[in-house]
Amino acid sequence: MRLPGRLSAAIEVLTDVETRKRPVSEALKAWGLNNRFAGAGDRAAIGNLVYDALRRRSSHAALMGSDTPRALVLAVAVRDWNEDPAALSESFATDNHAPAPLTEEELERAVGQLPDGTPGHILADFPEWLTPSLERAFGDNWIAEGQDMSGRPSLDLRVNTLKSSRERVMKSLARFNPAETKFSPNGVTMPAGPRDARTPNVTTDEGYLKGWFEVQDQGSQLVAGLANAKPGEQVLDLCAGAGGKTLALAAVMGNKGQIFAYDSDRNRLAPIYDRLKRNGARNVQVRAPQPDALEDLVGKMDRVVIDAPCTGTGTWRRRPDTKWKLTPELLAQRVGEQAAILADAARYLKPGGTLVYITCSILPEENDDQVVAFIKANPDFASVNPAELWQSAFGTAFPADTETEQGGIALTPRLTGTDGFYINALRRSA
């Protein structure tokens, strides 16, 4: 397929997403099944167009004067892919699979600039109602944070030190030109390419099949490391999900001690069994959700890790469609769930133990605010100094501007080149 046909397909996929209210991944899969003539390169390019359109939906729509799928995709072609709009329109006229040629207004708007006085939430490409939250979280940098959250993410891998080394993994993946991550001591990264660049399919690599590495954003690797679990400890991973951080904890602990992996949702937990086997993680005991599943652990844990359910605002680069679906009601629901999980988690800790609170959110309501409320209700807890926590976990300099007002650590694309994550380690008095 040539570019005009790919643009037309992207418009079709976005229209499907809008009219049927289904996830982008499902719409792209359905398009591929219905158009089997399209090769892997075509599908990757169409996916890039769709995701780029959603990442900067607000500013694209403002520039084009419309938020229709056509307007958004044309804006991507010109603003993000640097296509000349006049030449693009001419190519449409000679391609049977192309959209209709650009109108005079579209040609004029596509090469324009957003005017002075454009509202900040449009420049930052996120819903207007979140402006007070983002201003509170990032101060004068809130627009820059939003803009960096609207870019493409890298593909990051965590080397499984139970089975391999970073040098060995990088050699195995040399054809993809991997590089070492900036902060994670066991991370490998492949930066996102421009335009129709394909993301490497590393899950078919020999190293992945042998358990040498896992696909995991560097930010997720860092918060798992900052949980600071030690060999020999008793650790409860209370919201284990598919086990990404559980596996990282097992590696950090060198398979020594015990990790109890639990999740209230059996479906989320299901993949963990195969992943544990492939990774060679032998110090993990999976606890399936059932009445009293964790009662024997009350008061015995050295560390309780909560990878809390959240809005996922830190993953907007990877799931930009969720950015525009988020509502105040959903945020309030997540905040309530987080408070309940924090309250429950505390009872599993022994005196002197540490409660590790993690979210993939950039919103203060889910992060510092939760810690403030928890400490108010549990005055025997206090936040571990972030710089000391970082030094203990990694032995390197603490990244600038990542400490929050309440003693947490906030990772973002602008600050650390990662997805958005928050962590606060709360130590119980002995």
Side-chain angles (χ1 to χ4, degrees):
M1 296 174 69
R2 296 190 298 164
L3 180 59
R6 290 173 169 181
L7 294 173
S8 185
I11 293 170
E12 183 181 337
V13 171
L14 278 173
T15 301
D16 185 29
V17 170
E18 185 177 285
T19 55
R20 300 184 65 176
K21 309 298 181 187
R22 63 176 174 177
V24 173
S25 57
E26 289 185 13
L28 285 168
K29 182 179 180 180
W31 187 91
L33 291 173
N34 292 330
N35 297 273
R36 295 183 182 275
F37 63 86
D42 295 321
R43 294 194 299 273
I46 294 163
N48 285 349
L49 287 166
V50 170
Y51 280 107
D52 285 348
L54 292 171
R55 289 184 180 107
R56 301 177 68 193
R57 174 180 173 179
S58 187
S59 61
H60 285 329
L63 180 73
M64 299 299 292
S66 170
D67 66 351
T68 63
R70 173 183 167 89
L72 297 177
V73 171
L74 292 177
V76 169
V78 176
R79 293 183 79 199
D80 299 340
W81 291 34
N82 299 313
E83 289 289 327
D84 176 76
L88 194 65
S89 189
E90 289 180 12
S91 71
F92 287 1
T94 59
D95 192 316
N96 293 332
H97 301 289
L102 278 71
T103 65
E104 288 297 324
E105 181 182 4
E106 288 173 333
L107 284 168
E108 182 178 342
R109 283 184 173 275
V111 295
Q113 298 291 328
L114 292 173
D116 293 340
T118 297
H121 72 276
I122 291 177
L123 298 174
D125 275 294
F126 59 70
E128 182 177 8
W129 69 271
L130 285 172
T131 299
S133 294
L134 274 296
E135 283 186 303
R136 188 154 64 92
F138 302 114
D140 293 340
N141 295 312
W142 67 279
I143 293 176
E145 289 285 357
Q147 290 172 336
D148 279 13
M149 191 67 78
S150 300
R152 290 186 184 179
S154 57
L155 174 65
D156 297 343
L157 314 175
R158 179 187 60 80
V159 175
N160 177 21
T161 54
L162 296 174
K163 284 192 169 185
S164 193
S165 66
R166 182 149 66 177
E167 181 181 10
R168 189 179 190 185
V169 168
M170 291 182 68
K171 184 177 180 180
S172 174
L173 299 173
R175 63 193 182 280
F176 298 131
N177 298 312
E180 294 184 359
T181 46
K182 182 176 181 179
F183 298 108
S184 173
N186 298 309
V188 173
T189 185
M190 284 150 274
R195 293 173 56 96
D196 59 354
R198 295 171 62 181
T199 301
N201 181 12
V202 296
T203 57
T204 60
D205 185 80
E206 175 191 23
Y208 179 82
L209 299 174
K210 290 184 176 180
W212 293 357
F213 63 85
E214 286 288 322
V215 177
Q216 187 175 27
D217 177 74
Q218 184 186 188
S220 183
Q221 296 176 42
L222 290 174
V223 293
L226 288 166
N228 219 20
K230 306 296 184 184
E233 285 189 340
Q234 299 292 299
V235 178
L236 171 59
D237 188 355
L238 192 56
C239 304
K245 293 182 181 64
T246 309
L247 297 171
L249 292 170
V252 168
M253 295 170 67
N255 263 339
K256 297 176 182 178
Q258 186 75 55
I259 301 171
F260 300 92
Y262 173 84
D263 198 280
S264 61
D265 188 321
R266 288 180 182 274
N267 292 328
R268 283 198 300 262
L269 194 62
I272 197 172
Y273 299 96
D274 287 340
R275 297 181 76 186
L276 290 171
K277 183 177 180 180
R278 183 166 53 81
N279 276 256
R282 299 187 300 274
N283 66 331
V284 179
Q285 182 182 134
V286 180
R287 294 286 182 95
Q290 58 186 9
D292 302 329
L294 303 175
E295 287 307 303
D296 61 317
L297 307 183
V298 173
K300 298 178 181 179
M301 296 294 101
D302 296 293
R303 207 168 299 267
V304 176
V305 178
I306 305 171
D307 187 7
C310 68
T311 56
T313 50
T315 63
W316 277 346
R317 297 185 303 169
R318 302 179 192 279
R319 302 180 61 202
D321 51 331
T322 64
K323 174 161 55 173
W324 309 109
K325 294 177 182 178
L326 183 60
T327 64
E329 292 75 21
L330 180 58
L331 173 58
Q333 178 184 334
R334 291 290 178 261
V335 167
E337 292 169 350
Q338 292 155 7
I341 290 171
L342 273 165
D344 180 58
R347 67 195 187 97
Y348 299 106
L349 279 174
K350 65 183 184 182
T354 303
L355 180 60
V356 181
Y357 179 66
I358 298 169
T359 74
C360 55
S361 173
I362 58 175
L363 303 181
E365 291 90 340
E366 300 183 276
N367 298 336
D368 270 1
D369 290 0
Q370 290 285 14
V371 171
V372 169
F374 177 79
I375 292 178
K376 184 177 180 180
N378 301 271
D380 56 333
F381 282 84
S383 295
V384 177
N385 180 277
E388 293 177 6
L389 183 67
W390 189 280
Q391 179 66 31
S392 176
F394 305 123
T396 56
F398 185 47
D401 301 322
T402 56
E403 181 176 352
T404 70
E405 290 185 0
Q406 300 302 326
I409 297 173
L411 311 176
T412 68
R414 187 181 76 88
L415 294 173
T416 51
T418 68
D419 283 351
F421 277 93
Y422 174 87
I423 182 169
N424 203 310
L426 299 153
R427 183 170 294 143
R428 183 175 229 158
S429 61

